[in-house]
Amino acid sequence: MKALSLWQPWASMIFEFDHLGVPIKPDETRGWPTKVRGRVAIHASKRDDREIRSRYGLRLAPYGLRWSQFSFGSVIGTVEIVDCVPTHEIAVKREDWQLIWGDYRILGDDGKRRFAFVLRDPVKLQIPVPWTGRQGFFNVPDEVIRAAGGKI
């Protein structure tokens, strides 16, 4: 299965919902497009950044989350990528509280267009699986995901 690595708390927020069952992070925003569609594994990188902790820590409280709950350096779940669109096209369909979990600017710092991988059906693993992440998409064996109670 293809996998994608994200920093925390963005990786875990894919698997969280508001009180009405609406996904908190319905998109993964990147500075490059993808043709990958279908179910992919989400990997939480090892990076545990102090500045990110302080800036996003308070944003976790309304969801009953704490930084200590997050896994690092592990595959934490799977989700379907159903589309890839320019960020400005999808941003108008998102609530303000969803937009804080992605970079929806039209252009990145490098002057290139930004894209949103539109996500659906997130399923958190019963047990996070320690794994080494990589940039871009990389492979994790299906049996590893299955053994942790994941959806393929």
Side-chain angles (χ1 to χ4, degrees):
M1 170 177 280
K2 296 236 180 266
L4 189 61
S5 192
L6 285 72
W7 294 351
Q8 290 288 26
W10 296 275
S12 287
M13 297 313 286
I14 289 172
F15 304 98
E16 298 296 331
F17 301 86
D18 76 355
H19 65 287
L20 297 174
V22 176
I24 293 171
K25 182 173 168 48
D27 312 299
E28 170 54 16
T29 57
R30 296 280 167 142
W32 45 273
T34 185
K35 292 183 180 182
V36 172
R37 299 292 184 274
R39 190 153 291 277
V40 299
I42 297 298
H43 174 269
S45 77
K46 284 187 177 182
R47 182 182 180 125
D48 186 0
D49 188 283
R50 188 180 315 221
E51 182 183 333
I52 292 172
R53 261 186 194 240
S54 65
R55 197 169 21 148
Y56 281 86
L58 292 176
R59 293 180 182 179
L60 301 174
Y63 305 108
L65 299 172
R66 293 181 319 276
W67 201 267
S68 60
Q69 295 174 271
F70 295 144
S71 295
F72 293 85
S74 301
V75 175
I76 62 170
T78 65
V79 68
E80 281 184 69
I81 297 176
V82 296
D83 205 358
C84 177
V85 298
T87 49
H88 69 279
E89 290 180 14
I90 199 79
V92 297
K93 298 177 183 178
R94 302 297 182 230
E95 300 293 333
D96 289 344
W97 53 268
Q98 291 172 312
L99 295 175
I100 66 170
W101 299 106
D103 181 348
Y104 289 88
R105 294 177 298 162
I106 294 172
L107 301 176
D109 294 336
D110 58 3
K112 294 182 181 176
R113 285 177 44 183
R114 294 196 50 80
F115 297 88
F117 303 175
V118 182
L119 308 176
R120 181 177 63 198
D121 191 27
V123 178
K124 194 173 184 177
L125 294 183
Q126 295 169 2
I127 303 165
V129 178
W131 202 265
T132 301
R134 292 177 179 63
Q135 290 186 339
F137 285 98
F138 58 96
N139 291 313
V140 175
D142 288 357
E143 6 352 309
V144 169
I145 304 298
R146 278 193 200 99
K151 185 174 181 179
I152 301 294

